[in-house]
Amino acid sequence: MAETLERVQKIVVDRLGVDESEVKMEATFKDDLGADSLDVVELVMELEDEFDLEISDEEAEKISTVADVVNYIDSQ
Amino acid sequence: MLLKGKKAIVTGASRGIGRAIALHLAQNGADVAINYAGNEAKAAETVKDCQAYGVDAFSIQANVSEEEEVKTLFKTVTDHFGRIDLLINNAGITKDNLVMRMKADEWDSVVDTNLKGVFLCSKAAARPMMKQRSGAIVNIASVVGVLGNPGQANYVAAKSGVIGLTKSLAREFATRHIRVNTVAPGFIDTEMTDVLQDDKREDLLSQIPLGELGRPEDVAEAVTFLASDQSRYMTGQTLHVDGGMYMP
């Protein structure tokens, strides 16, 4: 899980231009990290490439926090 | 050359307006993926004629109304070219009938290919374009999409839908520097209009201020303009290439 978080953090920092310390498990993409809906779509696309998996539109819609992403990836 | 090195995909490009668009893009230096639904031999001809301009061209079969086929289509094209700069949503069919005679499946198949196909292909192309932070999508609508036409309720609804869809796509993708525009051709001399009977043809010509049918190349010119950086400050627009039939 720690390793997954690190990789997710790197992508989020890169994409949203936030500080790594802000990308905590409980942080929400929209409110805490300042992402708009299209940013979230792009994040999901990058995560799919980084972790070589496909996140369905239904699953993608449920993503709100960093923890949602980390848990989803670890459950695959 | 306006489009030197750009990677393009044109749907429904084996014949008619789509073929003319593919050739024009190639002539302007773009590498072109020629999508076709059924006519493999004609698609191969378009490929050969594009290659004569010294660009990379290949054909690929897919029905644009089928989501899985569209996914495979765009994966193949992205793998081949490494990116996608231009998507021309041209694939279209007609199944004309009076509303009182039109069957639901005639409605569905026309709306599926002409409208849903634009949605599916734009969605698939947006992925690489968003990553690139650049791209241009040009949709092909029709003058009847703004004027209406008896006997074409399905086609008119779909083409009118394309004009609205263009505006939504343009607004959604604008921050990623993906421009989305539409060309609305009038009556163009192709196999699709060959079926018109002579008396209907005369009647039609009287409604065209410039007094003649358009050529597929007339549409291709407008598409190339909207695909190129010459139109860098335009998005969500519809260009009417119809000899003056519709004046907004």
Side-chain angles (χ1 to χ4, degrees):
Chain A
M1 185 178 272
E3 189 223 356
T4 308
L5 176 61
E6 255 174 56
R7 288 165 72 187
V8 171
Q9 272 173 330
K10 195 171 169 304
I11 289 174
V12 174
V13 166
D14 206 40
R15 174 54 68 196
L16 299 180
V18 291
D19 200 85
E20 194 176 314
S21 62
E22 295 176 73
V23 192
K24 291 178 279 216
M25 284 295 266
E26 65 274 18
T28 63
F29 289 106
K30 286 189 181 162
D31 293 333
D32 298 331
L33 301 173
D36 66 19
S37 338
L38 211 48
D39 288 324
V40 177
V41 171
E42 286 188 310
L43 272 174
V44 168
M45 283 172 13
E46 288 203 24
L47 291 164
E48 287 178 330
D49 290 344
E50 167 75 18
F51 293 93
D52 194 25
L53 46 81
E54 203 169 312
I55 304 173
S56 69
D57 290 340
E58 293 76 41
E59 289 297 334
E61 275 168 27
K62 291 185 207 152
I63 290 174
S64 143
T65 65
V66 175
D68 291 338
V69 169
V70 173
N71 293 335
Y72 178 80
I73 290 166
D74 284 336
S75 72
Q76 294 300 296
Chain B
M1 284 203 274
L2 276 179
L3 303 172
K4 180 108 191 95
K6 298 280 187 190
K7 313 297 180 192
I9 168 168
V10 184
T11 67
S14 60
R15 54 207 169 113
I17 292 174
R19 173 185 152 84
I21 292 169
L23 290 177
H24 209 262
L25 297 180
Q27 192 182 357
N28 281 282
D31 296 323
V32 195
I34 309 292
N35 157 258
Y36 66 100
N39 202 329
E40 194 178 351
K42 284 276 183 193
E45 219 172 277
T46 306
V47 168
K48 198 156 66 68
D49 294 342
C50 285
Q51 287 167 340
Y53 290 110
V55 301
D56 182 7
F58 68 103
S59 68
I60 173 164
Q61 195 278 334
N63 178 344
V64 296
S65 65
E66 296 290 337
E67 186 165 22
E68 287 309 312
E69 291 186 35
V70 170
K71 280 186 185 167
T72 309
L73 167 66
F74 279 84
K75 184 167 186 324
T76 309
V77 175
T78 314
D79 287 350
H80 184 93
F81 284 147
R83 57 187 285 131
I84 298 180
D85 299 297
L86 314 172
L87 162 64
I88 317 300
N89 282 308
N90 165 78
I93 58 169
T94 54
K95 287 197 175 167
D96 297 354
N97 217 337
L98 293 172
V99 167
M100 299 306 288
R101 297 257 176 264
M102 188 177 289
K103 294 183 184 65
D105 65 342
E106 291 173 330
W107 172 275
D108 287 344
S109 65
V110 168
V111 172
D112 279 358
T113 298
N114 298 13
L115 180 56
K116 185 179 165 192
V118 176
F119 157 67
L120 291 174
C121 290
S122 300
K123 181 177 172 182
R127 188 181 174 102
M129 287 178 179
M130 278 170 75
K131 283 190 191 166
Q132 293 158 202
R133 288 282 187 271
S134 76
I137 298 174
V138 182
N139 301 321
I140 306 301
S142 167
V143 67
V144 302
V146 286
L147 293 180
N149 201 19
Q152 288 200 304
N154 48 4
Y155 188 77
V156 166
K159 292 300 191 182
S160 190
V162 167
I163 292 172
L165 174 60
T166 298
K167 296 175 189 176
S168 259
L169 293 171
R171 288 185 190 276
E172 280 196 25
F173 297 153
T175 56
R176 270 56 177 175
H177 307 288
I178 302 167
R179 298 182 302 106
V180 190
N181 292 288
T182 287
V183 173
F187 287 89
I188 307 296
D189 204 355
T190 64
E191 285 170 42
M192 207 185 260
T193 47
D194 271 351
V195 298
L196 296 169
Q197 285 131 3
D198 283 346
D199 55 333
K200 184 97 197 281
R201 221 180 169 81
E202 283 303 310
D203 183 44
L204 197 65
L205 288 175
S206 71
Q207 297 168 41
I208 306 173
L210 286 178
E212 57 176 316
L213 294 185
R215 297 167 303 152
E217 294 73 26
D218 295 327
V219 180
E221 290 277 2
V223 171
T224 300
F225 167 69
L226 289 175
S228 78
D229 287 341
Q230 288 194 323
S231 60
R232 59 170 288 277
Y233 200 52
M234 291 175 67
T235 195
Q237 303 302 310
T238 299
L239 279 187
H240 299 275
V241 182
D242 58 11
M245 282 183 81
Y246 172 73
M247 300 188 188

